[in-house]
Amino acid sequence: MDLRKLRLDEPALSTFSEERDEYERDYARLIQSPAFRRLQGKSQVFGAGSGDYYRTRLTHSLEVSQIAREVARRLNKQYPFLALREHPALVLDPAVVEIASLAHDLGHPPFGHKGEEVLNHLLMEGHGLAYEGNAQNFRILMFLEKRAGSDSGLDLTAAVLLAINKYPYSMDEPGRLKGVYGSEWEAIGHLRDLWQLAPGCSTLETQLMDLCDDIAYSTHDIEDGIRAGKIQMNRTFFEDTRLVEHLVQEILNDDGNSDVCWDEVDIPAMVKRVLASYLDQWEELYRNCGHEISRTRREMKARWVSVFAGRVGIIEDTARNWRKVTFVRDGAQDLELLRTMEILKKLAWVTLIKDFRVQRLQMRSEIMIRRLWDSYSDPEHGRLIIPPDWIESYEHQQGKWSWPRFVADYLSGMTDGYAEKVYAELYASKSGSIYGMD
């Protein structure tokens, strides 16, 4: 039995006659799913529909998948041990990495991280349940989405499911903020046991997908920020002491990046150095591009993607007795480049997400989600205004589907535009049409 191509629902010996590889079937199931299509209407940084230039969750996912696939191909040529396939998790199949990258943001609700934050608060406050985007990925792939003839989601291969499993923990564990909901962890845990994966260890494909997500975030989102005028490419902006202070504070407040050893460097000095270097490169490219801003913006993004992607490698993870995908220089982890990427990620966060206009829009988003929740949270009234196919699924599965989780699943699947449409029908002085498409 090939543990990587095992499916939880289908028999090991498939009766399919079509001449497609298992991962090709996974790819087709994913990109033809409604959840994948909805990514085109979900915010990345700027609200979906706010302009024809800015990235959505869909274009972001496509860009992550392109970077990850190309890096996987290079690493397979660079590291001979990968061809040995000595462990099912120590493999880098470009197709698997591509599919995992395409699926990594499916669980994000409308209105970006604010939507996730509000849904989690509503569920925890009233029902002791959590909402978390990575966990919702598995809820969608293993339960909510349906393929023909299956009642267990898209029934993807074990390699793809575990490649998406960025946080290999059960959310039922006390104090766990990220992971997989208990309802899906049983199956994921079973696959991890079959693969003999040690607790906390992720597959190489997971690690590569996660790193390429960071690469895209720290380059593409900055490109969007420059285009929107939120990041001004001049010395007044980049040398502003308030910007430096904000970046330093974000770094200090982020417990998730402690593994890059910030305690070993002078953080303010490094932030200033990275910002100065970034601006110097921009000015050089601006001259070389004939003072064309749009071309300079694209060239800048391409240069940094190339720098980051070209430095991805694999080292021994002695702490876990495992292997680690990270930036590598001279055979060791390149902490300097990891810190540089973190600073650029924080630059995008501080200048875009923390912008007061974006914060106003996020407050508006919070109001909408809370009021939509109020409309649906009472089963007696909620049943009347939720589409019949959702109600039918709930009644069929209500033995393992509580109403609060059902409402969260329904709301989280909405695009930004659809959430605004339903909110307007319920609360705005604007009547909807019964002939409008839901």
Side-chain angles (χ1 to χ4, degrees):
M1 177 189 297
D2 186 344
L3 291 178
R4 287 180 54 82
K5 295 185 177 181
L6 175 69
R7 297 183 191 272
L8 292 168
D9 189 44
E10 292 177 0
L13 296 175
S14 176
T15 58
F16 277 80
S17 59
E18 54 191 286
E19 296 179 357
R20 285 197 297 176
D21 178 80
E22 293 298 311
Y23 303 140
E24 290 176 341
R25 291 170 60 195
D26 284 352
Y27 179 84
R29 291 177 183 184
L30 175 65
I31 66 169
Q32 294 185 44
S33 67
F36 183 73
R37 290 197 299 276
R38 290 189 190 107
L39 291 177
Q40 67 184 312
K42 293 192 175 187
S43 301
Q44 173 63 13
V45 174
F46 299 100
S50 59
D52 62 2
Y53 178 89
Y54 306 112
R55 288 165 172 85
T56 63
R57 289 283 174 190
L58 178 61
T59 54
H60 165 73
S61 298
L62 290 169
E63 288 171 329
V64 174
S65 74
Q66 182 272 325
I67 297 170
R69 182 182 63 244
E70 296 302 320
V71 173
R73 287 174 177 166
R74 174 177 62 78
L75 294 179
N76 275 300
K77 297 176 182 177
Q78 185 176 347
Y79 293 90
F81 84 87
L82 292 171
L84 301 177
R85 304 174 81 89
E86 56 191 12
H87 188 286
L90 296 178
V91 176
L92 276 178
D93 189 309
V96 171
V97 172
E98 179 181 21
I99 298 165
S101 300
L102 291 172
H104 82 282
D105 267 354
L106 289 181
H108 278 285
F111 311 123
H113 292 288
K114 174 54 71 172
E116 183 178 12
E117 176 187 316
V118 175
L119 279 177
N120 182 60
H121 180 76
L122 290 167
L123 277 173
M124 289 297 294
E125 184 180 49
H127 310 282
L129 300 172
Y131 183 91
E132 199 271 318
N134 296 281
Q136 193 70 16
N137 273 0
F138 289 94
R139 183 109 180 118
I140 292 169
L141 295 171
M142 301 174 72
F143 180 67
L144 294 174
E145 281 294 338
K146 296 292 184 286
R147 69 172 185 84
S150 173
D151 220 20
S152 60
L154 298 181
D155 194 29
L156 304 176
T157 57
V160 168
L161 285 176
L162 293 183
I164 300 167
N165 190 200
K166 178 178 173 180
Y167 300 100
Y169 312 101
S170 171
M171 293 283 287
D172 287 348
E173 296 176 15
R176 185 67 64 189
L177 299 178
K178 295 181 181 293
V180 180
Y181 299 136
S183 53
E184 287 74 49
W185 176 253
E186 182 179 353
I188 295 298
H190 171 64
L191 292 177
R192 290 179 58 82
D193 290 342
L194 286 177
W195 282 31
Q196 297 183 344
L197 267 170
C201 287
S202 298
T203 72
L204 294 185
E205 289 155 336
T206 311
Q207 295 179 52
L208 179 57
M209 175 272 291
D210 188 26
L211 184 57
C212 290
D213 184 26
D214 282 345
I215 291 173
Y217 181 75
S218 62
T219 54
H220 298 150
D221 288 3
I222 286 183
E223 183 188 12
D224 279 2
I226 295 171
R227 173 66 176 79
K230 303 298 183 185
I231 300 176
Q232 301 169 34
M233 302 308 296
N234 57 62
R235 299 209 171 269
T236 301
F237 180 86
F238 271 73
E239 295 175 0
D240 190 332
T241 56
R242 292 170 300 179
L243 176 62
V244 174
E245 289 169 0
H246 287 156
L247 293 177
V248 170
Q249 196 57 51
E250 287 293 329
I251 291 169
L252 294 174
N253 291 344
D254 187 356
D255 296 330
N257 65 10
S258 57
D259 57 344
V260 300
C261 306
W262 284 110
D263 57 325
E264 296 179 1
V265 298
D266 181 334
I267 299 176
M270 182 168 186
V271 167
K272 292 176 183 177
R273 187 168 68 251
V274 169
L275 292 180
S277 174
Y278 195 89
L279 184 61
D280 286 343
Q281 290 182 50
W282 169 273
E283 292 176 340
E284 176 194 349
L285 282 173
Y286 186 57
R287 289 191 296 271
N288 294 341
C289 292
H291 300 100
E292 292 183 30
I293 293 179
S294 61
R295 184 181 165 198
T296 306
R297 196 170 55 239
R298 293 192 299 272
E299 291 291 336
M300 190 72 172
K301 177 258 300 181
R303 173 181 287 196
W304 277 95
V305 169
S306 179
V307 167
F308 288 136
R311 204 71 69 79
V312 176
I314 306 171
I315 60 172
E316 294 290 334
D317 186 349
T318 54
R320 296 179 183 271
N321 192 28
W322 194 234
R323 294 186 189 254
K324 184 174 185 178
V325 177
T326 185
F327 294 142
V328 176
R329 184 172 186 176
D330 298 330
Q333 183 167 233
D334 190 345
L335 292 173
E336 181 79 4
L337 193 60
L338 283 167
R339 295 185 193 114
T340 298
M341 183 176 68
E342 282 297 320
I343 290 170
L344 294 180
K345 284 171 60 180
K346 295 297 186 287
L347 175 63
W349 179 263
V350 166
T351 55
L352 305 182
I353 305 299
K354 292 288 188 177
D355 179 83
F356 78 95
R357 297 176 188 85
V358 175
Q359 289 295 307
R360 284 199 308 225
L361 289 174
Q362 292 202 344
M363 184 172 293
R364 176 174 173 269
S365 303
E366 178 174 356
I367 292 169
M368 283 195 285
I369 291 178
R370 284 183 176 276
R371 296 197 72 181
L372 287 174
W373 175 272
D374 291 341
S375 301
Y376 296 123
S377 58
D378 180 355
E380 182 178 352
H381 296 102
R383 285 173 178 271
L384 302 176
I385 54 176
I386 290 177
D389 58 328
W390 274 84
I391 297 298
E392 183 180 343
S393 294
Y394 170 73
E395 291 176 345
H396 179 63
Q397 303 273 9
Q398 62 180 304
K400 53 181 179 181
W401 206 357
S402 70
W403 185 261
R405 178 62 71 188
F406 170 73
V407 172
D409 286 339
Y410 178 59
L411 290 177
S412 70
M414 292 181 173
T415 62
D416 297 13
Y418 184 68
E420 291 182 358
K421 170 184 177 290
V422 175
Y423 177 83
E425 290 177 358
L426 291 171
Y427 294 107
S429 57
K430 169 187 173 184
S431 59
S433 167
I434 63 171
Y435 302 106
M437 298 296 289
D438 260 6

